[in-house]
Amino acid sequence: MGRVRKRQGGISVDKPHPKSPGALLPLATILLVAANLRPGITVVGPLIEQIGTDTGASSAMLGLLGALPVLAFGVVSPWVHRMALRLGIERSVLIALLVLGFGTVLRSVLPDTAALYGGTALLGGGIAVGNVLVPALVKRDFPQRVPLMTGLYSATMAGCAAVASGAAVPLSRWLGWELTIGLSAFLALLAAAAWLLRGPAVWRGSRGAEISAGQRKPAGETSPGDARATSLWSSAVAWQVTLFFGLQSSTFYLMVTWLPAMQVHYGVSPDVAGLTLASYQGFGIVASLSVGPLMQRAFDQRGIAVSMAVLMMFALGAMMIWPDLIPVWSLFAGFSSGATLSIALSLVALRARTHHQASQLSGMAQGVGYLLAALGPFFAGSLFDLTGSWKPVLGVALSFVVAQAVAGYLAGRRVFVGEG
């Protein structure tokens, strides 16, 4: 009882219904992984002025620190699908959590700039694996509830990111910024311990890829999900999803890296700036929880993708015209960011036919998308060094969002990879 029996590849496969007791462990462990995918990044923004003062780093170098995790996402993401096929999804996620924890500790305990940047790159690599595989896990474990489940884990990501941002400055007064940016290592270790509860699948190797999916195909049988990953590179739909993902990520990482510094530039205290960033991400929680049910009922995602881009255009334009009210406009921007992240992650699963294809598309979208997104924090820091003003930075971000609206309209159509 409580399980949906589904026929795949000539054999019957039991799939847990989201409300059944059997779905609680998969859901809880997915949410614990999601909880680790942002705090190690968002804790840096409120502390970036302290880090710059203590290390002597320029705005461009501090922008590079904000961009490093995103660069790691871009470099690592295309290889994650192969890693999962070789090691199994469960084992890959466990390794990623351990690498994430190690990188977080490394950048925190060693008083060295190389350790700060190297540890940040390592934690970015660990997060990249989770970024790619969580949408595939949702597609596999909750195939009939993808938007709803995506909204739930996106809200978890946003919530933990908001806590990290809001607590960063007060904690740094007690612990120093070095230990403050290392606290999220405890969350990674907790998630790794919980992940072991998934049982034998965690320990299966390369021959367990199909087993970990809860299915095994008869010899000689193929499925749409077995298409080579390279075929995605010729798919217009795959590129539309990738561009939407990359453009919304560019704006998000630019904001979480530099929004506090923008406010300090306009006379806001670091404490208030940190709380504003927390509120920015807090409204993302509301957006993620709201958007999931809407997308679950919608025929396609075009309308919501475009409307959320328009909301971000309004917020960025208002920041340029009335910068003294950035704490207010950031709430609109945060709602848009939370919604578009949930949309982007849902599109990865919705435009794929199987969880294997979702893993491939996730790797492509996040590989290319995050390389594009990495330009945001670094370019913003360099542009501010050059002009001494944040208005040109906001103008560039606004142009990203216009392009995002176009990509979202195209990617939001009810088509699958390879069909249009």
Side-chain angles (χ1 to χ4, degrees):
M1 300 295 290
R3 296 177 73 85
V4 179
R5 195 157 184 85
K6 207 177 171 187
R7 195 160 187 86
Q8 294 181 353
I11 48 178
S12 295
V13 177
D14 286 328
K15 286 286 183 183
H17 189 278
K19 295 182 180 179
S20 71
L24 293 180
L25 179 61
L27 177 59
T29 49
I30 285 173
L31 293 183
L32 271 173
V33 174
N36 280 275
L37 300 183
R38 292 298 177 268
I41 301 171
T42 60
V43 72
V44 171
L47 302 175
I48 205 161
E49 297 289 329
Q50 292 184 45
I51 295 171
T53 300
D54 287 356
T55 62
S58 66
S59 295
M61 286 302 295
L62 292 173
L64 178 60
L65 182 64
L68 263 179
V70 193
L71 281 170
F73 297 170
V75 172
V76 173
S77 295
W79 305 98
V80 174
H81 176 68
R82 294 186 183 183
M83 176 184 179
L85 287 177
R86 185 173 184 82
L87 301 178
I89 292 180
E90 276 77 8
R91 183 189 284 187
S92 298
V93 171
L94 177 63
I95 292 171
L97 289 169
L98 295 175
V99 171
L100 167 57
F102 176 75
T104 304
V105 170
L106 177 65
R107 73 174 185 175
S108 175
V109 300
L110 294 182
D112 182 86
T113 302
L116 173 63
Y117 282 79
T120 299
L122 273 178
L123 75 86
I127 293 172
V129 177
N131 282 340
V132 172
L133 293 183
V134 168
L137 283 165
V138 169
K139 180 75 172 180
R140 187 192 74 182
D141 294 344
F142 304 99
Q144 305 304 317
R145 296 289 186 274
V146 167
L148 195 61
M149 294 299 127
T150 301
L152 192 56
Y153 87 75
S154 298
T156 302
M157 288 168 55
C160 292
V163 170
S165 299
V169 173
L171 283 174
S172 70
R173 293 199 181 97
W174 299 342
L175 305 174
W177 65 262
E178 296 91 341
L179 289 180
T180 300
I181 65 174
L183 289 177
S184 59
F186 292 105
L187 187 58
L189 294 177
L190 174 63
W195 198 254
L196 292 173
L197 297 176
R198 281 185 167 243
V202 177
W203 307 111
R204 275 192 282 266
S206 60
R207 295 177 182 83
E210 282 296 328
I211 301 171
S212 68
Q215 58 187 326
R216 187 182 287 279
K217 301 189 298 296
E221 185 173 324
T222 60
S223 71
D226 294 327
R228 292 176 60 89
T230 52
S231 66
L232 295 182
W233 298 90
S234 60
S235 167
V237 174
W239 276 107
Q240 290 154 12
V241 172
T242 296
L243 287 174
F244 181 79
F245 195 103
L247 289 165
Q248 66 85 26
S249 295
S250 296
T251 306
F252 173 79
Y253 285 104
L254 187 154
M255 296 299 284
V256 298
T257 301
W258 290 114
L259 183 59
M262 286 183 199
Q263 294 176 86
V264 171
H265 178 78
Y266 289 112
V268 175
S269 72
D271 293 83
V272 173
L275 289 175
T276 299
L277 183 58
S279 300
Y280 169 90
Q281 292 163 108
F283 266 62
I285 302 172
V286 177
S288 297
L289 293 174
S290 304
V291 164
L294 287 176
M295 288 196 297
Q296 187 71 46
R297 294 191 295 267
F299 177 77
D300 63 32
Q301 293 74 46
R302 287 178 294 179
I304 193 165
V306 173
S307 62
M308 289 299 101
V310 170
L311 182 61
M312 180 62 82
M313 292 178 204
F314 163 76
L316 293 174
M319 288 181 188
M320 294 173 67
I321 299 171
W322 300 288
D324 291 343
L325 295 177
I326 282 180
V328 176
W329 311 132
S330 67
L331 301 181
F332 294 96
F335 191 94
S336 174
S337 284
T340 52
L341 174 61
S342 187
I343 295 166
L345 293 170
S346 293
L347 288 175
V348 167
L350 292 171
R351 297 291 84 90
R353 290 191 176 277
T354 70
H355 79 272
H356 291 294
Q357 197 175 60
S359 176
Q360 293 172 359
L361 180 56
S362 187
M364 174 182 173
Q366 298 195 45
V368 176
Y370 280 131
L371 284 176
L372 175 63
L375 298 176
F378 178 71
F379 180 74
S382 300
L383 188 57
F384 178 76
D385 277 345
L386 183 65
T387 64
S389 171
W390 288 108
K391 288 186 178 180
V393 174
L394 291 168
V396 171
L398 188 59
S399 69
F400 287 170
V401 180
V402 173
Q404 173 193 316
V406 176
Y409 181 84
L410 295 172
R413 294 171 301 147
R414 195 180 180 89
V415 294
F416 293 96
V417 168
E419 291 183 355

